[in-house]
């Protein structure tokens, strides 16, 4: 089931700083815990896998400290389940690496497709499925942004950036639930034109 940006923002407001810290901290773990000699020869896929592991570790720690959050690992898919106070339902969030257009890097398994298609997965008590993750700069050396998105099949319903001071929506919704175009006063980020040639960066991912 799709969730509107305003509803997600309101429900997740108490968790945004912690969620950002999980992702930002994982990137810093990669930079500080992995020797520079290893980082210098690591393929983009290896880097993505390591950062993903650090995000999982920090996500587990977050869930252990907050009774309204729990983590579930289902067929190698790691999901944080948030049960916000005064909110009807639970929100499941996958921690991911995004490409420059805010799309998660995935192995296209049926489980991933169902999650992105807003299907409720067996053993995963989430009413809404979101993804939170990072975009790296063109040099692969720093984080360009930390984002929260609402996936909808092969596209994103909405995309937002988690800032140290809060969150901003940076693209319009693809469509509203009643099939009417939703107009918001937000900064629109146009999709970039990508080359047909895929490099190792575009294949970096771990479930």
């Amino acid at each position: 089931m799709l969730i509107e940006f305003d509803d997600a923002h309101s429900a997740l407001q108490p968790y945004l700083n912690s969620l950002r810290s999980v992702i930002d901290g994982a990137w810093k773990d990669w930079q500080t815990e992995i020797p520079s000699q290893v980082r210098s020869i690591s393929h983009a896929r290896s880097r993505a896998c390591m950062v993903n592991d650090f995000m999982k570790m920090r996500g587990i720690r977050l869930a252990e400290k907050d009774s309204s959050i729990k983590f579930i690992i289902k067929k190698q898919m790691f999901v944080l389940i948030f049960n916000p106070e005064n909110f009807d339902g639970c929100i499941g969030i996958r921690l991911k690496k995004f490409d420059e257009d805010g799309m998660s890097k995935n192995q296209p398994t049926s489980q991933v497709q169902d999650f992105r298609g807003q299907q409720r997965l067996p053993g995963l008590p989430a009413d809404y499925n979101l993804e939170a993750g990072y975009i790296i700069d063109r040099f692969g050396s720093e984080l360009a942004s930390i984002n929260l998105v609402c996936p909808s099949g092969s596209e994103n319903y909405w995309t937002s950036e988690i800032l140290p001071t809060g969150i901003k929506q940076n693209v319009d919704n693809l469509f509203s639930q009643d099939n009417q175009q939703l107009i918001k006063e937000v900064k629109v980020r146009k999709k970039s034109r990508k080359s047909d040639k895929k490099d190792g960066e575009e294949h970096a991912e771990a479930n």
Side-chain angles (χ1 to χ4, degrees):
M1 186 188 315
L2 290 169
I3 184 172
E4 300 296 338
F5 169 76
D6 290 339
D7 294 333
H9 180 203
S10 177
L12 293 173
Q13 183 66 39
Y15 307 103
L16 292 177
N17 285 338
S18 296
L19 191 57
R20 190 180 195 282
S21 293
V22 164
I23 299 167
D24 183 60
W27 180 260
K28 290 176 179 176
D29 289 339
W30 156 257
Q31 293 180 314
T32 59
E33 299 298 327
I34 306 301
S36 59
Q37 298 92 329
V38 176
R39 285 187 279 114
S40 66
I41 62 172
S42 294
H43 190 273
R45 180 179 178 84
S46 299
R47 179 183 62 205
C49 289
M50 288 299 301
V51 175
N52 187 266
D53 286 341
F54 284 131
M55 286 195 295
K56 290 177 181 177
M57 178 186 67
R58 286 177 170 269
I60 290 172
R61 290 176 182 172
L62 177 62
E64 289 174 343
K65 294 189 297 183
D66 191 330
S67 61
S68 67
I69 308 172
K70 64 180 178 179
F71 70 91
I72 291 178
I73 302 175
K74 183 175 177 59
K75 295 181 181 179
Q76 299 186 344
M77 178 185 285
F78 179 87
V79 182
L80 288 174
I81 306 294
F82 293 80
N83 185 16
E85 187 177 359
N86 300 321
F87 179 75
D88 185 17
C90 294
I91 299 174
I93 298 182
R94 289 202 307 158
L95 304 176
K96 302 301 297 177
K97 176 182 183 291
F98 294 131
D99 65 17
E100 58 192 13
D101 292 322
M103 299 296 297
S104 58
K105 310 294 288 183
N106 296 301
Q107 297 294 334
T109 65
S110 59
Q111 182 174 240
V112 168
Q113 291 173 347
D114 287 344
F115 186 92
R116 287 192 53 84
Q118 297 296 329
Q119 301 298 312
R120 188 158 188 173
L121 301 178
L124 198 67
D127 302 288
Y128 308 97
N129 299 335
L130 302 180
E131 294 175 337
Y134 62 96
I135 298 175
I136 59 175
D137 64 18
R138 60 183 297 186
F139 305 107
S141 58
E142 299 293 340
L143 293 187
S145 65
I146 294 175
N147 290 15
L148 178 69
V149 310
C150 178
S152 180
S154 61
E155 301 288 342
N156 286 330
Y157 182 47
W158 50 257
T159 301
S160 62
E161 182 176 357
I162 306 176
L163 303 170
T165 55
I167 188 170
K168 71 173 182 178
Q169 189 180 10
N170 53 21
V171 295
D172 291 335
N173 288 32
L174 288 179
F175 44 83
S176 65
Q177 301 260 23
D178 58 0
N179 293 323
Q180 298 296 316
Q181 180 66 35
L182 178 63
I183 304 298
K184 287 182 176 289
E185 293 183 0
V186 296
K187 179 180 178 182
V188 177
R189 177 175 295 169
K190 296 181 180 179
K191 287 191 174 183
S192 62
R193 294 182 178 177
K194 293 183 178 179
S195 168
D196 290 334
K197 183 179 179 181
K198 306 292 183 180
D199 58 19
E201 182 74 16
E202 294 181 305
H203 292 291
E205 177 53 32
N207 259 348

